[in-house]
Amino acid sequence: MTDAHDTLPTLPTGYEISADAARIDAARVHQWLSTDAYWAMGRPREKQDRAIAGSLNFGVYDTASGEQVAYARVVTDHATFAWLCDVYVDRSVRGKGFGSALVAAVRDHLEPCGLRRILLATADAHGVYEKVGFSVLDVPEKWMALGRQ
């Protein structure tokens, strides 16, 4: 079996990933998520801004124009646990490995923290996450949730 670290797609030439929160285009992220992401449809801008402010944020950027083309955020204590969420790739660049490369960069950024686990939820992108080592929960009946399901 190959290691997920060895089989990742790389970003196309001319793009870079950054965890610099100052580079996040909050208006663009809100537009993407509130109008095109099934899990965040209609999310108010104020709520999205609070989510960005309270999270570790990642963006993929065109190095020539500086335009942001993808986004992901992580809610974490940097010690034991992380929740990967709001992963979004602009429709204009989908299918080119941006999602897998972004998720791999998030995973690698968090690796030095020694987290026990990184969780996420997805209805339709299992393949993207499996490429970087995620798998379905072994014992999902141990997990519970509070709130809207």
Side-chain angles (χ1 to χ4, degrees):
M1 184 168 142
T2 59
D3 185 291
H5 289 273
D6 298 333
T7 60
L8 292 176
T10 57
L11 287 176
T13 301
Y15 291 90
E16 65 183 351
I17 296 172
S18 173
D20 180 356
R23 293 183 69 185
I24 298 297
D25 183 340
R28 178 166 235 191
V29 169
H30 175 255
Q31 177 70 26
W32 283 334
L33 297 178
S34 68
T35 64
D36 194 40
Y38 66 85
W39 65 91
M41 295 295 284
R43 183 182 290 168
R45 172 68 191 265
E46 180 273 333
K47 183 172 274 198
Q48 184 62 51
D49 288 347
R50 281 190 295 136
I52 290 170
S55 300
L56 175 60
N57 299 275
F58 295 82
V60 178
Y61 303 91
D62 181 312
T63 55
S65 69
E67 179 183 24
Q68 186 172 350
V69 299
Y71 175 73
R73 73 182 179 91
V74 177
V75 180
T76 184
D77 61 8
H78 297 279
T80 62
F81 178 82
W83 177 264
L84 173 61
C85 52
D86 288 345
V87 178
Y88 187 91
V89 176
D90 188 85
R91 289 184 175 274
S92 68
V93 297
R94 286 187 187 167
K96 299 177 182 172
F98 284 87
S100 295
L102 176 57
V103 173
V106 170
R107 178 203 60 204
D108 294 348
H109 183 93
L110 293 170
E111 193 168 326
C113 296
L115 303 175
R116 181 171 176 165
R117 72 180 38 93
I118 302 170
L119 290 180
L120 63 87
T122 185
D124 61 356
H126 293 78
V128 170
Y129 301 106
E130 288 168 346
K131 286 179 187 175
V132 297
F134 282 86
S135 60
V136 296
L137 293 173
D138 288 334
V139 193
E141 61 273 12
K142 283 187 173 183
W143 295 89
M144 298 178 74
L146 175 65
R148 287 183 258 164
Q149 306 248 345

